[in-house]
Amino acid sequence: MTDPLLAGDPLLTVLREIVGHRHVLTDPGTRRAYEVDWTGRFQGQARAVVRPGSTDEVAAVLRACRAAGAPVVPQGGNTGLVGGGVPLHGEILLSLRRLDGLDDVDRAAGQVTVGAGATLAAVQAHAAAAGWAFGVDLGARDSATIGGMVATNAGGTRLLRYGPMRHQVLGLEAVLSDGRVLRRLSGLLKDNTGYDLAGLVTGSEGTLAVVTRVRLRLVAPRPRRAVAVLGLASVERAVEIATALRVDLDALEAVEAFFDDGLDLVVERLGLSPPLRCAHPVYLLVECAEPQAGPDPLDALVAALAPLGLGDDDVAAGLDPAGRARLWRLREGHTEAINALGGEIGAPHKLDVTLPAARLAEFTTRVREVVAAIAPDARTFLFGHLADGNVHVNVVGLAPEDERVDDAVLRLVVSLGGSISAEHGIGTAKARWLALDRSEAELATFAAIREALDPTGVLNPSVLVWA
Ligand SMILES: Cc1cc2nc3c(=O)[nH]c(=O)nc-3n(C[C@H](O)[C@H](O)[C@H](O)COP(=O)(O)OP(=O)(O)OC[C@H]3O[C@@H](n4cnc5c(N)ncnc54)[C@H](O)[C@@H]3O)c2cc1C
């Protein structure tokens, strides 16, 4: 059923002519999945959900919206965690999911061009079928799109070896708010011909241009894998071990951390078994990987762990695919388990931050104290990509609009020399704190770039706004 209030909307008539009647969604029930974020904390109403099927249609939609003065929120898989991809103020929701084409893998170059709406899992499978691999992985792989991952400069669990999304982007096609198309998809590795526009759009969270296609770097596959979960007494010890493994273990691909309270929640909510016989305050998940013709990564992992003084009760190894998946589920299941708890006592406030390695241990202690002082009944869960200094602080049991904890935690992060956003971006959730982390000169430069590319403020007007 079409919302009667929208039936006579002249902009929607134009948009229907561009993308076809069935790709302009106005029925409140059909719109709903596009209007609420993954955590349930951020929600609003779209003027309409528009689903273009080509770059030309994206360009025409943006031209029409700009002419009508209608703001637009681009959206991919809607797995973002900072409220940047949902329409909070009646915007047009531009869903890019139909742009999910996958060109043939360029086997000689080890590159592929894909549509912005292709999911990460589809790109991973496509690369694997051609004998290559994709360097970024994250828990939301079945829904997160390449366009959204470029827009947020997603990090994930392999950043240690391959870097963030930015390092995989060799070129892109993106549409400016006036409908002009920036296109550079040749994938040339050496191309010093002026400003790096793909680099500028990457991480811009849908505020500068709408990404429609991306040229991606692929990496050599490393199918021989070994995973271990280590039970440890403290964060200091976890940081020490992560450092030792980075120095000694060439095959190292991931070092993830979680804590006893988070593990208990995951085990209870997802019906899993704990990895070790005895509980430990902190856990590290370590993954090593080698090419098919390479040595067994387990040998290298065992050799690297040997001098670290861990007992049999402190290590669980995953050798076959099922065993490895079981251990990874304990780490990746955190987001899901915390969300499930949030459904009962209030959607989680998710604060994704980075700390210098030397301040990580201090942060994990102080952040719990800071939250407890403000909201004694709230529950705090910490986990993250330890080798990158990236901690996901999840506080459950707060009202969605109560930002006292967010404020105190982000100020603590900055006081310890960290960043208020490690990999999820600023979105709308952290916009008011951006000035804590960026200088006046930097913010003025941000504003000037935005003004140059989107002078009428059509694209994601509530995202990355700090004034
Ligand atoms: C279970 C789970 C695990 C996660 N793990 C990680 C992790 O390890 N690392 C990490 O970095 N993130 C992680 N995330 C967050 C999320 O998956 C990433 O931010 C991802 O990059 C978002 O992709 P998306 O397609 O869902 O984007 P959306 O959520 O749809 O959008 C995110 C932002 O990008 C903009 N955008 C989307 N598509 C486009 C486009 N085509 N052009 C321009 N702008 C666009 C939106 O406006 C919005 O600002 C996780 C999320 C979940 C739910």
Side-chain angles (χ1 to χ4, degrees):
M1 200 188 73
T2 301
D3 187 333
L5 290 175
L6 298 170
D9 186 329
L11 173 61
L12 300 197
T13 305
V14 175
L15 296 178
R16 285 191 185 101
E17 281 164 13
I18 297 168
V19 299
H21 202 275
R22 69 194 178 95
H23 294 301
V24 177
L25 313 179
T26 53
D27 168 61
T30 324
R31 287 192 332 239
R32 188 67 186 147
Y34 298 85
E35 295 176 333
V36 185
D37 84 321
W38 197 85
T39 65
R41 183 177 170 205
F42 300 98
Q43 40 191 300
Q45 281 189 358
R47 185 161 164 185
V49 174
V50 182
R51 298 166 25 92
S54 68
T55 302
D56 286 348
E57 287 185 6
V58 172
V61 167
L62 290 180
R63 270 195 301 272
C65 289
R66 181 159 139 149
V72 172
V73 174
Q75 187 186 89
N78 197 12
T79 66
L81 299 173
V82 287
V86 282
L88 300 177
H89 306 287
E91 298 93 339
I92 294 286
L93 190 289
L94 183 70
S95 169
L96 282 310
R97 280 187 228 171
R98 286 180 66 217
L99 304 187
D100 60 356
L102 303 169
D103 286 7
D104 288 344
V105 170
D106 180 341
R107 289 170 192 256
Q111 299 178 5
V112 66
T113 301
V114 306
T119 63
L120 171 59
V123 171
Q124 288 172 332
H126 188 56
W132 284 90
F134 185 57
V136 176
D137 194 21
L138 47 82
R141 62 185 73 78
D142 292 326
S143 306
T145 64
I146 293 298
M149 291 173 64
V150 170
T152 56
N153 186 27
T157 52
R158 313 271 180 239
L159 187 133
L160 181 61
R161 180 178 288 279
Y162 301 112
M165 202 58 195
R166 183 183 301 286
H167 293 187
Q168 326 305 321
V169 175
L170 295 172
L172 54 73
E173 178 188 86
V175 185
L176 297 173
S177 68
D178 63 4
R180 282 179 301 161
V181 179
L182 304 175
R183 185 178 292 118
R184 202 157 185 90
L185 292 165
S186 62
L188 295 173
L189 294 180
K190 298 185 118 177
D191 183 19
N192 283 349
T193 51
Y195 298 136
D196 176 9
L197 297 178
L200 183 63
V201 171
T202 303
S204 65
E205 300 189 51
T207 62
L208 300 182
V210 174
V211 179
T212 46
R213 297 175 80 204
V214 187
R215 181 76 174 179
L216 295 170
R217 169 174 87 104
L218 301 178
V219 299
R222 291 176 168 263
R224 304 195 74 184
R225 289 179 178 269
V227 176
V229 167
L230 318 179
L232 304 168
S234 67
V235 177
E236 284 88 344
R237 182 89 170 109
V239 173
E240 193 183 292
I241 287 182
T243 306
L245 295 179
R246 284 170 64 195
V247 171
D248 288 337
L249 198 48
D250 189 44
L252 190 64
E253 196 164 286
V255 181
E256 300 285 309
F258 48 93
F259 289 74
D260 51 354
D261 50 0
L263 177 65
D264 289 349
L265 185 76
V266 170
V267 163
E268 176 211 318
R269 294 273 161 171
L270 307 185
L272 305 175
S273 308
L276 300 168
R277 259 190 300 165
C278 312
H280 294 68
V282 185
Y283 297 87
L284 273 190
L285 182 151
V286 178
E287 180 160 31
C288 298
E290 292 282 9
Q292 190 62 51
D296 185 343
L298 183 64
D299 295 341
L301 181 58
V302 169
L305 293 178
L308 299 177
L310 298 163
D312 287 348
D313 284 347
D314 304 327
V315 182
L319 308 181
D320 57 3
R324 295 199 298 266
R326 193 174 54 80
L327 294 180
W328 264 110
R329 183 87 177 110
L330 296 170
R331 158 62 186 86
E332 291 194 332
H334 272 66
T335 319
E336 190 181 329
I338 290 166
N339 235 30
L341 177 66
E344 292 163 17
I345 63 171
H349 286 227
K350 298 179 94 65
L351 300 163
D352 153 53
V353 300
T354 333
L355 278 302
R359 310 305 290 270
L360 267 172
E362 178 186 356
F363 175 73
T364 55
T365 305
R366 284 182 62 189
V367 72
R368 290 181 192 275
E369 293 165 1
V370 161
V371 176
I374 297 170
D377 295 333
R379 295 182 65 184
T380 305
F381 298 98
L382 308 178
F383 61 95
H385 314 293
L386 186 106
D388 315 329
N390 184 180
V391 184
H392 296 315
V393 180
N394 286 249
V395 185
V396 191
L398 303 170
E401 64 289 347
D402 181 353
E403 293 186 324
R404 289 173 303 150
V405 162
D406 308 55
D407 184 65
V409 171
L410 297 180
R411 286 179 192 281
L412 173 65
V413 168
V414 172
S415 76
L416 295 176
S419 162
I420 65 165
S421 173
E423 58 177 12
H424 294 162
I426 294 296
T428 54
K430 290 186 182 163
R432 65 173 267 224
W433 292 281
L434 189 55
L436 275 184
D437 205 307
R438 291 292 197 157
S439 70
E440 219 178 298
E442 286 176 314
L443 293 175
T445 307
F446 282 11
I449 292 170
R450 197 162 177 169
E451 167 74 20
L453 269 64
D454 181 22
T456 60
V458 171
L459 292 173
N460 250 352
S462 308
V463 167
L464 269 173
V465 177
W466 53 91

